[in-house]
């Protein structure tokens, strides 16, 4: 039976540490969250981030814009927030409505306030090993590994998924810690065979039960990033959790694994921004 990597408990611990550090600053850290339209999932995420800010003692400002908001209007708001001294982080909730170029919007956010870690300057800093904001989900995963003394050094690490938000930065962070990394994607041949070589397997695709027990090496660490709903409407990840937990050494649950840590790292990045901007 696998060790359960409890992201929920670790996230609570991280947020308490962030709150304590924030109390020593001359000014309260501030996070601005923008949501465009009426996507129900986005609304849930934004509400959760507001609660996280309250827990950490941060200033939280929400900008709920109507579905018909133009790209120009959205970028104008971001530019106003870029120059606000009391705002340390800007987050624009994705996805955006049709007709708005997500890349242009993300580019408009100042790299110094890009607490999601999506701006090309922060992505580039990660690539070359320089200081910058890390994308929150891969950052959270690395904190989980650290908390449970799971060292990627010398281990075979397989990441399923090559998105800019999770897959690519995840691979880079594992590489920084001296893991031997393989990225798999929709064109990968012999996926199951490659996955069975992994000491650390990260699944970030968004497909229910994509990772089955026959794809997992006994004793592996399995990190399930996805948040899906199965046919019964129950939350689940990419991994066949009941079967895989019987042979893995450690596994993240869904929910309660990676998700809470993603949000906690957003708070950590906002604190970091406030510390930098306050000298």
């Amino acid at each position: 039976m696998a060790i359960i990597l409890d992201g929920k408990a670790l996230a609570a611990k991280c947020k308490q540490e962030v709150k304590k550090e924030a109390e020593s600053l001359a000014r309260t850290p501030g996070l601005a969250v923008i949501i465009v339209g009426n996507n129900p999932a986005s609304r849930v995420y934004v509400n959760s981030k507001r609660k996280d800010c309250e827990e950490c003692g941060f200033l939280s400002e929400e900008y709920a814009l109507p579905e018909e908001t133009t790209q120009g209007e959205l970028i104008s708001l971001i530019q106003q927030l870029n120059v606000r001294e009391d705002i340390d982080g800007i987050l624009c909730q994705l996805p955006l409505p049709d007709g708005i170029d997500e890349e242009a919007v993300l580019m408009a956010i100042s790299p110094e306030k890009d607490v999601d870690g999506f701006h090309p300057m922060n992505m580039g800093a990660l690539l070359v090993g320089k200081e910058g904001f890390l994308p929150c989900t891969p950052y959270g995963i690395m904190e989980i590994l650290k908390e449970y003394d799971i060292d990627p050094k010398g281990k075979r690490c397989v990441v399923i998924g090559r998105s800019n938000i999770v897959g690519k930065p995840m691979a880079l962070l594992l590489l920084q810690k001296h893991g031997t990394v393989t990225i798999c994607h929709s064109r990968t041949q012999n996926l199951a065979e490659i996955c069975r070589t992994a000491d650390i397997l990260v699944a970030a695709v968004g497909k229910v039960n994509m990772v089955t027990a026959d794809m997992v090496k006994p004793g592996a660490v399995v990190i399930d990033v996805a948040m899906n709903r199965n046919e019964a409407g129950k939350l689940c990840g990419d991994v066949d959790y009941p079967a895989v937990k019987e042979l893995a050494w450690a596994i993240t649950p869904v929910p309660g694994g990676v998700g809470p840590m993603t949000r906690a790292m957003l708070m950590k990045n906002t604190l970091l921004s406030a510390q930098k901007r306050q000298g």
Side-chain angles (χ1 to χ4, degrees), residues 95-153:
L96 293 168
D98 293 341
I100 297 180
D101 182 348
E102 288 187 358
E103 184 177 353
V105 170
L106 295 177
M107 284 286 287
I109 297 172
S110 166
E112 295 178 356
K113 295 188 177 185
D114 168 42
V115 288
D116 253 340
F118 294 162
H119 193 284
M121 283 189 66
N122 284 316
M123 286 288 195
L126 172 59
L127 179 64
V128 297
K130 300 292 185 183
E131 186 177 299
F133 293 115
L134 299 175
C136 297
T137 297
Y139 187 10
I141 291 168
M142 295 306 292
E143 289 296 300
I144 289 172
L145 296 180
K146 181 180 174 184
E147 176 71 10
Y148 285 88
D149 295 320
I150 300 166
D151 187 356
K153 183 178 180 181

Side-chain angles (χ1 to χ4, degrees), residues 4-276:
I4 308 303
L5 304 175
D6 189 343
K8 187 176 180 180
L10 179 57
K13 176 182 169 185
C14 289
K15 285 186 284 187
Q16 283 303 308
E17 291 170 354
V18 166
K19 180 181 181 181
K20 188 174 180 181
E21 285 194 55
E23 287 169 351
S24 67
L25 294 174
R27 175 180 56 75
T28 300
L31 176 66
V33 178
I34 304 168
I35 178 171
V36 185
N38 302 305
N39 184 305
S42 292
R43 170 45 61 194
V44 170
Y45 291 136
V46 168
N47 289 347
S48 298
K49 287 161 187 171
R50 188 194 309 123
K51 290 177 185 174
D52 292 333
C53 284
E54 289 172 3
E55 285 183 46
C56 294
F58 289 4
L59 166 70
S60 174
E61 288 194 1
E62 180 186 310
Y63 295 85
L65 307 181
E67 188 87 18
E68 58 271 18
T69 299
T70 67
Q71 182 172 313
E73 289 169 338
L74 177 54
I75 289 176
S76 176
L77 170 60
I78 289 169
Q79 289 169 342
Q80 293 171 43
L81 294 169
N82 279 339
V83 297
R84 286 261 305 271
E85 283 300 319
D86 58 337
I87 295 297
D88 300 292
I90 302 169
L91 184 150
C92 189
Q93 185 66 45
L94 303 179
L96 293 168
D98 293 341
I100 297 180
D101 182 348
E102 288 187 358
E103 184 177 353
V105 170
L106 295 177
M107 284 286 287
I109 297 172
S110 166
E112 295 178 356
K113 295 188 177 185
D114 168 42
V115 288
D116 253 340
F118 294 162
H119 193 284
M121 283 189 66
N122 284 316
M123 286 288 195
L126 172 59
L127 179 64
V128 297
K130 300 292 185 183
E131 186 177 299
F133 293 115
L134 299 175
C136 297
T137 297
Y139 187 10
I141 291 168
M142 295 306 292
E143 289 296 300
I144 289 172
L145 296 180
K146 181 180 174 184
E147 176 71 10
Y148 285 88
D149 295 320
I150 300 166
D151 187 356
K153 183 178 180 181
K155 292 185 172 66
R156 291 186 178 273
C157 306
V158 173
V159 179
I160 313 174
R162 53 178 168 179
S163 72
N164 291 334
I165 294 172
V166 180
K168 291 175 186 175
M170 186 75 251
L172 289 169
L173 286 171
L174 289 166
L175 192 60
Q176 279 186 7
K177 293 298 182 182
H178 312 296
T180 300
V181 183
T182 300
I183 302 178
C184 297
H185 46 79
S186 58
R187 303 293 187 273
T188 298
Q189 297 182 14
N190 304 319
L191 175 64
E193 186 179 326
I194 294 168
C195 289
R196 280 194 295 271
T197 69
D199 301 305
I200 299 174
L201 178 63
V202 181
V205 177
K207 186 177 178 182
V208 176
N209 286 348
M210 181 181 178
V211 177
T212 52
D214 65 323
M215 297 170 66
V216 177
K217 174 182 174 181
V221 174
V222 180
I223 307 292
D224 195 346
V225 178
M227 185 71 78
N228 310 310
R229 287 194 183 273
N230 62 19
E231 292 176 352
K234 186 179 177 182
L235 284 172
C236 62
D238 286 343
V239 177
D240 181 359
Y241 182 82
V244 171
K245 76 174 181 179
E246 296 301 321
L247 61 118
W249 180 78
I251 189 169
T252 57
V254 177
V258 174
M261 284 302 295
T262 297
R263 289 164 41 200
M265 294 305 99
L266 176 65
M267 297 298 104
K268 201 164 183 177
N269 277 345
T270 303
L271 172 67
L272 178 61
S273 176
Q275 289 170 330
K276 285 180 178 178

